[in-house]
Amino acid sequence: MQKQLLLLALFIPITAVAQTEDVSREDTLREVTVTSRSAEKRISEVQIGVEKVEVATLAKVPALLGERDIVKSIQLLPGVKSEGEGSGGYQVRGGTSSQNLMLLDGATVYNAGHLMGLFSAFNDEALANASLYKGLVPAQLGGGTSSVFDIDTRSGDMQRYHFSGTMGLLSAKVMAEGPIRRDGSSFLFAGRRSYLDMFLKASKDYKDNTMNFYDMNVRLNFRLSPQDFLNLTFFRGRDNMGLDELLDMTWGNTTVTANWLHTFSDRLYANTMLAYTDFSNDVGIDMMNIHYAMAGYIRHLVLNHRQVWTPTKRHRVNYGFETDYTQLKSAEWDIDYLHQREKRNAWMNSLWVNDEWKLSNRLDLSAGLRLHLFTVLGGSPYYQIDRQGNITETMTPGSGEFVKTYTDVEPRVSLKWALSRRHSLKVGYSRTSQDIHAIRGSSASMPFDRYTMTSNIVSPERADQVAAGWTGITPTGDYDFSAEVYYKNIDNVYDYRDGKSFHSEIEIERLLLGGKGRAYGLELCAHKNEGRLTGWLSYTLAWSENKIEGINGGDWYTASNDRRHDIALVGMYQLSKRWELSAVWRYNTGQALTAPSAKYEVDGHTYYYYAERNGYRAPAYHRLDVSATYSRQVGKTTQQWAFGLYNAYNRYNPYVITFENDDERPSGTKAVQTSLFGIIPSVSFTIKF
């Protein structure tokens, strides 16, 4: 990580620094929102805990190094928070980022971050809109116990051709769209690539290193008949990072989808989707005559069919099924002449029905049921593990043999009561389950986290959440407000055993202990919707805790992603027809962390004793980002300059905190804070025609 930060310093006008600060004891979390829907939509939405995001709004929010980032933007939503400085992951209502399901045109995407999470892998030029369901989801969606983030790419224009190009400090991107056959078919292409290699090649010390990323989106739309539409999408995002001959890392996602929409009548339509996902990561290390290589992947082949039937104006029924064949390689590594790998296969099937029912002029109901079946398939070894993590029995079922099947029945319900045209109350309950587990040694996601699936001894993660809220709008619509409370119970939460890490064993079940978790909190938000100045203010108060036998003495302990307070203030000001200003200020309680309670020396070596898991706090995090955008029309082209300051008052926020000996302190130990970024200016130029 230190060498990666040194490389970043080559192209970022601020270097990472280390500071020494004492770490304060316990206190926590939360964050904030831009709802890009109209205020009326926020009031009328039946589903509780859903946020709609539009790319047009994101373009006005300051971004790191000028890159508009849909994942960074949802970290401003109430109940959603960033994993930390520079991370591309997000955490929802006390969950980890691995408990979020991210869908791009229906295909699952994992760890969608460039440069270890500094940017998301989604190019804003290719995106249309997205919906974030914060744990309370309709029955047609499943697979994430914290949230489902459903992202759609844009359809190309069937009438005219459009092109755009953007040049920034770190990367360039292009977009092209238009008709293949007017009114009959269209295409969209968006691509982005970094040119960090140029900075590295110009440096004598780093010219043999590699650091670059690219992503591309392709979408083809076809109007086959007045009743039939077909769209084909392709996405690929990839990162490459290498340090001389010591380290080589690559990771990324590839997705392919085909969606066929058929309209039977004004009251009934069907959508059939075939999707393929491949997330892979590879790392190789050569050091001190030892060669270490690790590789892993997750692959999905999915068939999804759903129908939407509107029998009356008061009912809208969504029903269908999904079948998913999954392959997962937790790890495959070579250490000198030792070769080991762990690979698993599974078959997931789901049936659902969901009804949006207008019970009366004031009462709306969304209720449904999802039946989820997960079958563990043979073809690789399975184990029985004792309480100490030792293998007591090994089984080798044949390929395709059913090892074990788990059945989950998941009810979902949301109810909205309209107090008046401008005020409504909402309540909801949802049960969700998840079978892909990411096991992390810290609160931040990395592209080389160990993943595992539900197996003969690893059970599906299950979450039950209840929520209640109020939304209101002023008579003129200039302002709207919301307040929501929630409580969530989670079963089968997994964490590393004490003293274990991702590379301790190839058999991942030997590393894990399972238990339960809980999260609860309050989310407040106020929007200003009209006038030259628009924006929002949000505040979240939240708790997140785990209880796992064998960790922290079997007592409840603060989860690593627990933060008590989270505040976001966003403002956008239309200075003139050509100039628009924006600013974002964020504050949150410091991250929970485990610090040594005592230390002792043996044969001249210092060893730390940890009495409590996550019993301490990092310093609070706060930051101000500002930007200014200048746009003008030149003939048939639109030109735009975007200027920004990330971390405008140069606050060095904690990124990593480590502990070292310090004989001058009474405790004999000091906490050392490493910060990733200070102030970072950015500029980009975009031309559209």
Side-chain angles (χ1 to χ4, degrees):
M1 177 61 72
Q2 290 178 342
K3 288 199 172 186
Q4 295 162 10
L5 296 181
L6 286 174
L7 286 173
L8 288 172
L10 290 174
F11 57 84
I12 294 176
I14 293 295
T15 57
V17 300
Q19 297 174 324
T20 301
E21 294 191 22
D22 287 321
V23 180
S24 61
R25 191 148 176 106
E26 198 87 28
D27 262 351
T28 324
L29 144 37
R30 226 17 93 159
E31 197 142 337
V32 127
T33 188
V34 69
T35 347
S36 303
R37 297 176 294 171
S38 67
E40 290 80 4
K41 268 289 188 181
R42 284 190 284 268
I43 304 300
S44 63
E45 179 69 56
V46 178
Q47 188 73 39
I48 189 171
V50 61
E51 302 286 352
K52 303 292 185 180
V53 181
E54 296 172 357
V55 176
T57 300
L58 308 188
K60 301 178 181 180
V61 178
L64 176 60
L65 296 173
E67 287 287 342
R68 307 300 181 189
D69 192 327
I70 194 170
V71 175
K72 288 289 192 294
S73 72
I74 66 170
Q75 295 169 7
L76 298 171
L77 295 168
V80 186
K81 64 175 181 176
S82 166
E83 288 181 309
E85 185 88 86
S87 173
Y90 60 95
Q91 299 166 340
V92 179
R93 290 189 170 178
T96 67
S97 61
S98 64
Q99 294 166 332
N100 302 319
L101 174 66
M102 187 179 293
L103 300 173
L104 180 65
D105 294 318
T108 304
V109 178
Y110 294 92
N111 212 315
H114 288 313
L115 293 181
M116 309 296 283
L118 291 180
F119 309 110
S120 84
F122 302 124
N123 185 343
D124 65 293
E125 294 284 359
L127 305 182
N129 50 59
S131 299
L132 177 69
Y133 299 88
K134 296 184 288 188
L136 293 106
V137 299
Q140 59 265 29
L141 295 171
T145 53
S146 275
S147 75
V148 177
F149 192 27
D150 193 7
I151 307 171
D152 296 318
T153 56
R154 290 197 301 113
S155 298
D157 194 329
M158 286 193 177
Q159 299 295 325
R160 297 182 178 182
Y161 295 99
H162 305 279
F163 304 93
S164 70
T166 300
M167 183 77 71
L169 289 180
L170 298 184
S171 64
K173 55 187 177 183
V174 296
M175 186 279 298
E177 64 174 316
I180 301 173
R181 181 172 60 85
R182 292 190 187 278
D183 295 323
S185 56
S186 68
F187 75 91
L188 170 74
F189 171 82
R192 177 173 55 166
R193 194 192 190 282
S194 68
Y195 31 77
L196 309 182
D197 310 64
M198 296 172 54
F199 294 92
L200 297 179
K201 297 300 182 186
S203 168
K204 180 180 179 181
D205 294 332
Y206 296 100
K207 62 184 179 64
D208 295 324
N209 296 320
T210 302
M211 184 178 286
N212 63 66
F213 68 81
Y214 69 87
D215 54 65
M216 67 176 71
N217 296 80
V218 179
R219 177 163 177 149
L220 303 175
N221 289 339
F222 302 93
R223 181 181 283 120
L224 304 178
S225 73
Q227 292 79 35
D228 295 278
F229 291 83
L230 174 69
N231 69 70
L232 307 174
T233 65
F234 171 81
F235 165 75
R236 181 170 174 81
R238 202 73 182 166
D239 277 71
N240 301 286
M241 184 179 295
L243 301 177
D244 290 329
E245 298 179 357
L246 299 178
L247 176 67
D248 182 47
M249 300 187 295
T250 62
W251 69 91
N253 287 271
T254 300
T255 69
V256 182
T257 64
N259 276 281
W260 172 36
L261 176 66
H262 176 72
T263 302
F264 294 98
S265 68
D266 292 341
R267 295 187 174 184
L268 178 65
Y269 69 86
N271 189 89
T272 303
M273 181 196 73
L274 185 64
Y276 173 75
T277 290
D278 181 0
F279 167 73
S280 61
N281 53 53
D282 298 276
V283 59
I285 301 174
D286 282 291
M287 191 176 297
M288 300 178 64
N289 297 320
I290 297 176
H291 175 70
Y292 174 90
M294 185 181 76
Y297 61 70
I298 306 174
R299 295 169 182 162
H300 295 273
L301 182 61
V302 179
L303 174 64
N304 179 296
H305 178 80
R306 65 184 178 94
Q307 295 191 179
V308 178
W309 176 44
T310 310
T312 70
K313 292 182 178 180
R314 291 182 174 270
H315 287 274
R316 187 174 186 267
V317 185
N318 190 316
Y319 55 92
F321 72 89
E322 180 174 285
T323 183
D324 179 341
Y325 176 68
T326 303
Q327 293 181 315
L328 186 149
K329 185 164 64 176
S330 168
E332 179 175 9
W333 56 46
D334 290 282
I335 303 176
D336 292 337
Y337 299 105
L338 174 66
H339 177 85
Q340 294 178 304
R341 75 173 184 174
E342 183 176 73
K343 180 181 174 183
R344 297 285 169 79
N345 299 323
W347 186 26
M348 291 182 276
N349 291 280
S350 298
L351 297 169
W352 70 83
V353 60
N354 196 90
D355 185 9
E356 293 183 10
W357 184 8
K358 190 170 184 59
L359 298 171
S360 70
N361 291 335
R362 291 198 171 191
L363 191 60
D364 294 310
L365 174 70
S366 173
L369 191 68
R370 184 180 183 91
L371 175 64
H372 179 71
L373 303 173
F374 183 89
T375 301
V376 182
L377 299 178
S380 58
Y382 289 86
Y383 316 99
Q384 294 294 335
I385 309 291
D386 64 19
R387 295 182 63 84
Q388 287 71 44
N390 301 312
I391 297 175
T392 60
E393 182 182 355
T394 300
M395 300 164 287
T396 55
S399 179
E401 182 179 336
F402 285 18
V403 177
K404 189 172 184 178
T405 297
Y406 296 86
T407 302
D408 287 290
V409 178
E410 305 172 7
R412 319 279 178 82
V413 60
S414 285
L415 188 68
K416 186 201 76 172
W417 174 260
L419 301 175
S420 68
R421 291 182 59 188
R422 295 189 295 272
H423 299 273
S424 62
L425 296 177
K426 301 178 185 180
V427 295
Y429 163 77
S430 179
R431 170 170 288 182
T432 53
S433 64
Q434 181 172 331
D435 293 296
I436 304 293
H437 314 276
I439 315 302
R440 292 173 174 154
S442 67
S443 60
S445 59
M446 300 291 284
F448 307 104
D449 292 322
R450 289 286 298 271
Y451 287 87
T452 190
M453 286 195 294
T454 294
S455 68
N456 61 313
I457 55 178
V458 174
S459 298
E461 187 175 276
R462 301 181 178 98
D464 290 277
Q465 183 179 166
V466 293
W470 162 82
T471 55
I473 187 172
T474 58
T476 60
D478 289 355
Y479 299 89
D480 69 88
F481 308 90
S482 65
E484 200 164 311
V485 294
Y486 66 91
Y487 183 89
K488 178 165 60 174
N489 262 329
I490 312 169
D491 290 326
N492 304 319
V493 173
Y494 290 93
D495 205 346
Y496 282 113
R497 296 172 182 267
D498 287 337
K500 295 290 186 178
S501 61
F502 79 97
H503 61 275
S504 298
E505 313 288 350
I506 188 70
E507 304 90 0
I508 195 167
E509 286 102 338
R510 299 179 62 186
L511 308 178
L512 307 180
L513 288 173
K516 56 186 179 180
R518 63 189 180 195
Y520 47 96
L522 165 69
E523 300 167 4
L524 305 174
C525 192
H527 291 83
K528 185 178 186 302
N529 305 306
E530 303 294 337
R532 298 176 72 176
L533 176 64
T534 59
W536 66 92
L537 169 66
S538 67
Y539 167 73
T540 309
L541 172 68
W543 290 259
S544 180
E545 300 169 310
N546 292 332
K547 184 178 183 181
I548 300 176
E549 200 66 37
I551 298 177
N552 202 54
D555 297 327
W556 285 99
Y557 63 91
T558 301
S560 59
N561 59 317
D562 178 272
R563 296 200 302 252
R564 193 71 65 241
H565 306 281
D566 231 300
I567 302 172
L569 176 61
V570 179
M572 293 165 283
Y573 185 72
Q574 191 70 47
L575 185 64
S576 66
K577 290 183 178 180
R578 293 187 174 183
W579 282 99
E580 185 167 37
L581 311 178
S582 62
V584 174
W585 183 76
R586 310 170 72 170
Y587 171 90
N588 59 255
T589 303
Q591 202 84 16
L593 58 87
T594 303
S597 303
K599 68 177 183 177
Y600 54 93
E601 292 189 4
V602 178
D603 296 330
H605 297 282
T606 300
Y607 297 89
Y608 292 104
Y609 171 71
Y610 299 89
E612 185 179 4
R613 179 75 66 99
N614 295 331
Y616 293 82
R617 288 280 167 193
Y621 181 103
H622 53 89
R623 190 184 83 226
L624 173 66
D625 302 334
V626 297
S627 71
T629 303
Y630 174 78
S631 303
R632 67 171 184 169
Q633 196 75 23
V634 180
K636 294 183 178 180
T637 69
T638 300
Q639 298 178 5
Q640 185 179 87
W641 285 93
F643 308 92
L645 282 179
Y646 178 92
N647 197 4
Y649 54 76
N650 202 33
R651 160 78 175 181
Y652 285 104
N653 286 297
Y655 180 65
V656 175
I657 291 180
T658 56
F659 300 91
E660 299 177 356
N661 288 332
D662 187 350
D663 295 332
E664 296 181 359
R665 292 175 178 246
S667 64
T669 304
K670 67 178 179 180
V672 178
Q673 171 182 305
T674 300
S675 299
L676 188 58
F677 298 128
I679 186 172
I680 304 176
S682 66
V683 60
S684 65
F685 175 72
T686 300
I687 184 169
K688 298 180 180 181
F689 54 95

